[in-house]
Structure formats: C-alpha cells, structure tokens
Amino acid sequence: TQGKACLLADPNGSGFPWERGNLRELLRDLYAMSGLRVNPELLNEENCHLGLLFGASWAPACVRFVEKLKKTYNALNDENTFRLQIVYVPSDRTEDEFNLFRSQQPWLSLAWQDQTNHHRLRRYFNVQNVPTLVILAPNTYDIVTHRGVGAVLRDPEGLNFPWPRLLCRDLEEDAEGINDRPSVVLLLEDAHVDLQVEGVARLWQVAQEVQDRATLRNEEPAVLFFYSLRWTDPGAPPGQLRKLTEIDTPGPHLLLVDVPNHAKFHQAKLPEPPEQKANLMAAFRAQQMGYELAEPDFNPLADLQARVTDMLESYAVNGLAMQRM
C-alpha cells in the first residue's frame, strides 16, 4: 500500500494495515439525496455505467463542476433509462459542509462519517485531486476513464458517453495528458501514407500491452501514446513539440516526452537508410535496356515495438539521458 499517504490520512492507524479492499464492499453503504439508505444493487442496473465523483465543498472547482455534471447527468438519464449512476465520495471538512454540498447533488453518496472507505476509494483509484470523476463499466466495474471531468466539460450533452480514452491518439486532435505524465510520441509527418499506417499500428500494439498491464493493477497507464501525421500550425501541439525539442528534420522521429519531469525529452535513434553506392555501369545498362534498377526496401519502423519497449523499460529502471526542452 501507499504507506506514507495512508499514515497521513489515518494518523491513529484505525484502518491499519490499510488494505485497498473490495470495490463492491466499499460501495455497500449508499445514501440518496434525501438521506435515506438505498440498496447497492442500484449500481448493477443493466447497461448503466458507474461514476465515482471525488469532490469537496471547499474547492471552488468542485462546486462549479457539480453544476455542469448535473446537466450531463440529466441528459444521459430519464425516467425509464439510467445510463449513468453517480456516487459522491466526499472530502468535505465537516458534516455540515457535506450536508449542504450534498443537498445540491441529485445522485447517490457515501456517508460523511465513513472516512475509512473514502480514503480506501481514493487510494483504490489513486485520486490526487478534486474534482475527479472515474467512469466504470456496467457490472464489471472495469475502468473506462479516470478523466471524466474533462469529458463532461468537452461533451456536456454526453454524445460520446462513456468517453473511452483511445490508447493511441493523434497529437493534433487530442493532446490531453501530455503535460501530466510521460508520453511516447511518433512524428510521421513526412512519411509515406503506408509507413504512417504501419507506424501507428505498431505503436498501438505497444500501447495495448501497456494498457493491459495497467488494467491488471486497476490503474491508468503510466505512459501515454501519441502520433503526428501532418505538419501543423506552430501553435498546434505537434508544432509546439517540434519547437520545444528543436526537431525540424523530416523524420520519422520517436520521442519520450516527460513534461512533468522538468520538461525533458529523449529521442530514440531509429534505423537510417543504407548508403546508396551507385553502380553507374549497372544503371547505364539498365537504362539502355529500358528498365530501372529497383531501390532496396528500407523500413525505419520495422522494429518499432522493440525500440519503444526498450526505451520505456530503460526509462523506468535506469532513467535515460533526457534533454531539457
């Protein structure tokens, strides 16, 4: 367990040894807006996702977000169909603050007194800030996304609900998260379309492996994956990244970017084309006979998965020679 965080949250050690606990057990005591206790089976309705809202009345951002979330909640649910059930996990300082804030929320909540469960849930999902909205899949409680807050703000009508996060994203279209955690970025702006397709496919395979390992630990991946397929305005995320890293050559380029770690990056070395030592006589004879010499096939991304995996393992275990952006 995260011993230091547990000790700070529970200095008397009442919850020692601070086991993470079973999620269904942690959500067994639920209360409606009226204060009445409700059956936890409400969380198991068919095709109904579960949202865990970690918040606090003392945080202005939480107060503002609850107002926006209510509109999304009403857009997704009606009298006959519930697509999203929400449980409020409070971090309010006093019971009076909790009761006042709770009265503004139309969904379920945990009891304010159940501080041990609140802490266990925060630890279960590694929640560091409020507000945080975690979306879980129906019945299985598999994590769909930890980033429900941003999803609600971008999609208040819930048109793309449940907002699954793509494993590997186009940096130009969606750069969310690149400032928050290490990210692998594959720059393919000048590559032939076939090489772009292959490069993205190979990057997806590594991203899927990282995702699968994180899912087994019930966590979000520690590393994000992005690609860029075309030159953009310097103000767009790919343009900003090239400017910061001073990479202005065609590529392809493979980067590990760690903005939270003092904005550092590492550029992996990809294979370079072999030197073309032209055989002038062979070329002349081929031209006389009416055909062209075939250029040798070269694929700089042939071992991309291995290079990304090696780069991540080296970074995690030994660190890499990272340059400051």
Side-chain angles (χ1 to χ4, degrees), residues 53-55 58-59 62 91 122 126-133 149:
L53 173 61
F54 296 84
W58 47 261
C62 288
S91 293
R122 286 192 291 272
N126 193 28
V127 173
Q128 305 293 329
N129 303 296
V130 292
T132 291
L133 179 63
V149 171

Side-chain angles (χ1 to χ4, degrees), residues 24-315:
R24 295 184 187 276
E25 287 295 310
L26 297 178
L27 296 172
R28 67 183 183 278
D29 293 325
L30 302 174
Y31 295 84
M33 188 177 182
S34 63
L36 295 176
R37 189 173 179 179
V38 299
N39 189 332
E41 287 300 315
L42 278 176
L43 303 183
N44 297 325
E45 292 187 19
E46 187 176 3
N47 299 322
C48 182
H49 286 74
L50 172 61
L52 298 180
L53 173 61
F54 296 84
S57 55
W58 47 261
C62 288
V63 177
R64 293 192 296 269
F65 178 67
V66 162
E67 292 305 311
K68 296 181 182 298
L69 181 57
K70 283 194 284 189
K71 296 178 181 179
T72 305
Y73 179 78
N74 292 330
L76 291 171
N77 302 322
D78 57 38
E79 294 181 358
N80 301 316
T81 305
F82 251 70
R83 298 178 60 198
L84 175 63
Q85 185 61 269
I86 296 175
V87 174
Y88 175 53
V89 183
S91 293
D92 302 287
R93 295 189 179 114
T94 68
E95 188 170 7
D96 287 341
E97 288 181 357
F98 165 76
N99 288 333
L100 180 60
F101 193 37
R102 176 71 188 91
S103 67
Q104 304 167 26
Q105 304 177 42
W107 38 77
L108 306 176
S109 78
L110 300 179
W112 180 80
Q113 298 89 342
D114 199 358
Q115 301 292 321
T116 300
N117 264 12
H118 305 168
H119 174 63
R120 285 178 175 173
L121 283 166
R122 286 192 291 272
R123 189 153 44 88
Y124 195 102
F125 294 103
N126 193 28
V127 173
Q128 305 293 329
N129 303 296
V130 292
T132 291
L133 179 63
V134 180
I135 304 297
L136 305 178
N139 300 317
T140 64
Y141 290 174
D142 291 337
I143 297 174
V144 177
T145 180
H146 279 79
R147 299 178 177 274
V149 171
V152 168
L153 297 179
R154 289 193 307 271
D155 180 26
E157 298 299 320
L159 300 179
N160 297 310
F161 179 80
W163 310 300
R165 170 64 65 194
L166 293 177
L167 301 179
C168 190
R169 291 173 275 149
D170 188 326
L171 184 61
E172 181 185 5
E173 296 180 358
D174 184 1
E176 183 180 355
I178 198 170
N179 292 326
D180 303 326
R181 68 183 73 179
S183 301
V184 174
V185 183
L186 182 60
L187 301 177
L188 293 165
E189 293 94 339
D190 292 283
H192 186 275
V193 63
D194 291 341
L195 191 61
Q196 289 183 337
V197 171
E198 180 179 349
V200 172
R202 291 180 181 274
L203 194 63
W204 262 90
Q205 291 179 17
V206 183
Q208 183 66 64
E209 293 172 3
V210 171
Q211 174 68 63
D212 291 344
R213 289 197 295 270
T215 299
L216 290 175
R217 299 190 299 268
N218 204 37
E219 298 174 353
E220 277 204 322
V223 180
L224 303 178
F225 293 83
F226 299 91
Y227 56 87
S228 177
L229 300 179
R230 68 188 187 93
W231 289 94
T232 64
D233 183 274
Q240 291 181 355
L241 182 62
R242 279 184 170 272
K243 180 179 179 181
L244 290 171
T245 57
E246 298 182 348
I247 295 176
D248 55 6
T249 53
H253 298 289
L254 178 63
L255 303 172
L256 177 59
V257 179
D258 193 353
V259 175
N261 183 21
H262 307 292
K264 294 182 178 180
F265 77 98
H266 172 80
Q267 182 174 2
K269 187 173 179 61
L270 294 174
E272 297 180 356
E275 276 189 44
Q276 302 298 319
K277 297 179 179 179
N279 186 329
L280 298 180
M281 183 58 71
F284 175 76
R285 289 175 178 171
Q287 185 178 18
Q288 292 296 313
M289 297 179 66
Y291 68 88
E292 296 181 0
L293 286 176
E295 295 184 2
D297 290 334
F298 171 71
N299 184 352
L301 304 179
D303 60 349
L304 180 68
Q305 296 104 308
R307 290 178 182 270
V308 174
T309 300
D310 290 346
M311 183 171 64
L312 293 177
E313 289 179 352
S314 177
Y315 182 62

